[in-house]
Each structure stands twice: as structure tokens, then as C-alpha cells.
């Protein structure tokens, strides 16, 4: 089962991707997580990406396309994969088509998680992420059992550098200008399934399961 999760910042892509990973046992490929890892390790890629990320802008297409191409060729993607946060531009979507063609694969479904803008901001400013395992929490909707500490691994919870309100506004603007057109791109291919992202985390996952059970 080869999936794309579409949706604005804070729509719940990462949260749902992790639930899909545990139920369907296919890997999550989050370009945002991969870039943050490179930033934390201070690799050349990380240093370059950080400037864009801190401004709420997209990292250049060539950079992310290269990362995803390499990742999709790994053996654990044989049984399927969940793309989270990629593609984000028309150029990336076209590059993905080419990569998949070369690998003899195709996308089964594009899940579009829709959440209105005011809710996005509320979600993002209260998000906390585990430094060690990447688990995602929300101070109100999904709080950790012990403040500041990850339930799963005990790691320290932190706020992402790009989760400040001004940067979130810019990320929403970038999403509308560059990523939203992909809904149309994939609708024309008959691949889009819309999900109401304002429901609870479990409620959204119920909707997604109904869609995915057709492909699993
Ligand atoms: P990325 O990390 O992909 O950020 P994003 O797309 O803005 O999405 P988020 O990770 O912020 O949100 P999410 O949808 O995963 O929501 P989550 O599940 O965490 O990208 C960051 C940056 O990297 C970009 O700005 C760009 O610079 C660069 N980048 C990445 N990919 C790129 C690409 N392909 N091309 C170029 N540049 C790229 O949930 C959010 C919060 O809400 C959490 O606290 C969660 O607990 C809570 N929550 C989730 N679901 C619910 C619910 N149903 N009800 C209540 N609360 C909920
Ligand atoms: Mg995410
Ligand atoms: Zn953790």
C-alpha cells in the first residue's frame, strides 16, 4: 500500500502516519523529520535546510527530491510506504511520478486531511515533540503523562523552532500557494480521499482506516 498524506501544517499528518505505521506495518517517510534530523546532526544538508525551515519556507525541490528518491529505494519500502510532507510542490509531484515509474511502483491513495486555519494555529503552538523518538504530543488534546517527558521513551519534549506563531502564518501561506494545488493534481488522477481533520485523533484514524482497508 503506497500512500501520500496531504494537509496543511498541523493538520495531523505525522500523528496519523504513526497510527498507520503501527496498524499496517509500512514505513513513514516524513521529509520534515528527515530534515530536522539533518539539522540536529549539523550535516551540510542540515545547515542549508535550517535557513529555509526557520523562515517557514520550503527547502529547494532538488534537495528533498534527492532525499526521497534514496529513501524509496530502501528495501523496507517494498511492502509499501506513507509519504508525510512530500510532495509539496508540483515539481516534487512530477519528480515522484518519475521515481515511482523507475521503481515500478504507483500511488494507491492520497489522503487529504482538511483542518481550518484557526485550528491549525491552536494545534501547532501547543505541539511538543520528543527529541529522542519523534513522538508528537499536544499540551491540551494529547498531553504526555508527565510534563516535558515522552510516554514512550522518556525523552525530553521540545517545541520545534518553526512552531512560533509568525512562522506558522508563513507556513500556512506557503502551503496555500505551493501545496494546495496538489489536491487538484491528484484528483485528476482519481486518487484523492478527503478526511475531516477536525475530528479527534481517533475519529480521524477511523475515517482513514475505512479508506485503507480497501487497499490493505
Ligand atoms: P513538516 O515537518 O512536514 O511540517 P508541516 O507540513 O508544516 O506539518 P507539521 O509536521 O507541522 O504538522 P502535521 O500535519 O504533521 O501535524 P501533527 O501530527 O504533528 O515540514 C517542516 C518544514 O520542513 C517545512 O516548513 C519546510 O521548510 C521543510 N520541508 C519538509 N518537507 C518538505 C518538502 N517536501 N519540500 C520542501 N521543504 C520541506 O499534529 C500537530 C499537533 O496537533 C500535534 O500537537 C498533535 O498532537 C495535534 N493533533 C493532531 N491531530 C489532532 C486531532 N485530530 N485533534 C486534536 N489534536 C490533534
Ligand atoms: Mg509532521
Ligand atoms: Zn520519545
Amino acid at each position: 500500500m503506497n500512500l501520500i498524506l496531504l494537509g496543511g501544517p498541523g493538520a495531523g499528518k505525522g500523528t496519523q502516519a504513526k497510527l498507520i505505521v503501527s496498524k499496517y506495518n509500512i514505513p513513514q517517510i516524513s521529509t520534515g523529520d528527515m530534515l530536522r534530523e539533518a539539522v540536529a546532526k549539523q550535516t551540510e544538508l542540515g545547515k542549508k535546510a535550517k535557513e529555509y525551515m526557520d523562515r517557514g519556507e520550503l527547502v529547494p525541490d532538488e534537495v528533498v527530491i534527492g532525499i526521497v528518491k534514496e529513501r524509496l529505494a530502501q528495501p523496507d519500502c517494498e511492502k509499501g510506504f506513507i509519504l508525510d510532507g512530500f510532495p509539496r510542490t508540483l515539481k516534487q509531484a512530477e519528480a515522484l511520478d518519475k521515481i515511482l515509474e523507475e521503481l515500478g511502483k504507483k500511488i494507491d491513495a492520497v489522503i487529504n486531511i482538511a483542518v481550518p486555519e484557526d485550528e491549525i494555529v491552536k494545534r501547532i503552538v501547543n505541539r511538543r515533540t520528543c527529541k529522542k523518538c519523534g513522538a508528537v504530543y499536544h499540551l491540551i488534546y494529547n498531553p504526555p503523562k508527565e510534563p516535558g517527558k515522552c510516554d514512550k521513551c522518556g525523552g525530553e519534549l521540545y517545541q520545534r523552532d518553526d512552531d512560533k506563531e509568525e512562522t506558522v502564518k508563513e507556513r500556512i501561506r506557503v502551503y496555500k500557494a505551493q501545496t494546495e494545488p496538489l489536491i487538484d493534481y491528484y484528483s485528476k488522477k482519481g486518487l484523492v480521499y478527503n478526511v475531516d481533520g477536525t475530528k479527534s485523533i481517533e475519529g480521524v484514524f477511523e475515517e482513514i482506516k475505512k479508506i485503507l482497508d480497501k487497499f490493505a
Side-chain angles (χ1 to χ4, degrees):
M1 187 162 61
N2 303 332
L3 308 174
I4 294 174
L5 293 183
L6 267 187
K13 301 179 296 294
T15 301
Q16 296 300 327
K18 292 204 160 60
L19 294 170
I20 299 171
V21 168
S22 42
K23 175 150 174 76
Y24 298 94
N25 200 26
I26 49 176
Q28 170 192 13
I29 302 177
S30 160
T31 41
D33 287 351
M34 288 156 99
L35 291 169
R36 277 184 291 280
E37 210 178 295
V39 171
K41 286 188 182 146
Q42 298 186 314
T43 63
E44 278 313 305
L45 164 70
K47 283 181 204 155
K48 194 171 165 199
K50 188 170 169 26
E51 289 170 40
Y52 296 95
M53 295 171 82
D54 284 352
R55 289 197 296 262
E57 290 168 12
L58 295 180
V59 171
D61 286 328
E62 312 78 66
V63 175
V64 270
I65 290 168
I67 301 180
V68 171
K69 186 172 182 181
E70 212 172 279
R71 183 66 188 85
L72 283 172
Q74 300 297 313
D76 64 331
C77 294
E78 278 309 315
K79 55 190 173 186
F81 53 80
I82 310 156
L83 286 168
D84 159 9
F86 182 94
R88 249 181 160 91
T89 64
L90 225 42
K91 208 172 151 205
Q92 291 179 20
E94 286 162 2
L96 176 65
D97 286 344
K98 206 167 145 237
I99 293 168
L100 292 177
E101 198 186 308
E102 282 167 15
L103 291 167
K105 296 178 201 270
K106 61 172 187 50
I107 295 297
D108 294 304
V110 177
I111 311 274
N112 179 41
I113 310 177
V115 175
E117 196 167 325
D118 52 336
E119 176 67 16
I120 286 184
V121 176
K122 254 188 265 169
R123 283 192 187 179
I124 292 190
V125 295
N126 289 309
R127 169 168 49 197
R128 295 296 181 271
T129 308
C130 174
K131 248 184 189 158
K132 230 162 113 188
C133 78
V136 173
Y137 298 87
H138 189 280
L139 295 181
I140 300 154
Y141 302 134
N142 181 26
K145 292 197 181 82
E146 220 181 295
K149 213 168 153 185
C150 177
D151 294 352
K152 297 189 178 78
C153 78
E156 183 196 336
L157 303 184
Y158 80 108
Q159 183 169 32
R160 271 168 47 178
D161 287 339
D162 60 346
D163 279 357
K164 292 186 289 280
E165 191 159 344
E166 323 82 81
T167 320
V168 173
K169 292 264 158 70
E170 176 62 11
R171 284 162 59 198
I172 294 172
R173 197 192 61 73
V174 168
Y175 166 76
K176 285 189 176 152
Q178 306 207 49
T179 310
E180 218 167 47
L182 295 186
I183 300 175
D184 202 43
Y185 180 84
Y186 288 113
S187 291
K188 286 188 181 130
K189 296 177 187 276
L191 291 173
V192 174
Y193 296 83
N194 289 302
V195 167
D196 175 6
T198 61
K199 293 186 177 175
S200 66
I201 292 174
E202 298 72 27
V204 175
F205 189 49
E206 281 306 314
E207 274 199 46
I208 292 180
K209 274 192 294 195
K210 274 187 213 146
I211 299 162
L212 297 189
D213 281 339
K214 284 185 235 165
F215 302 101

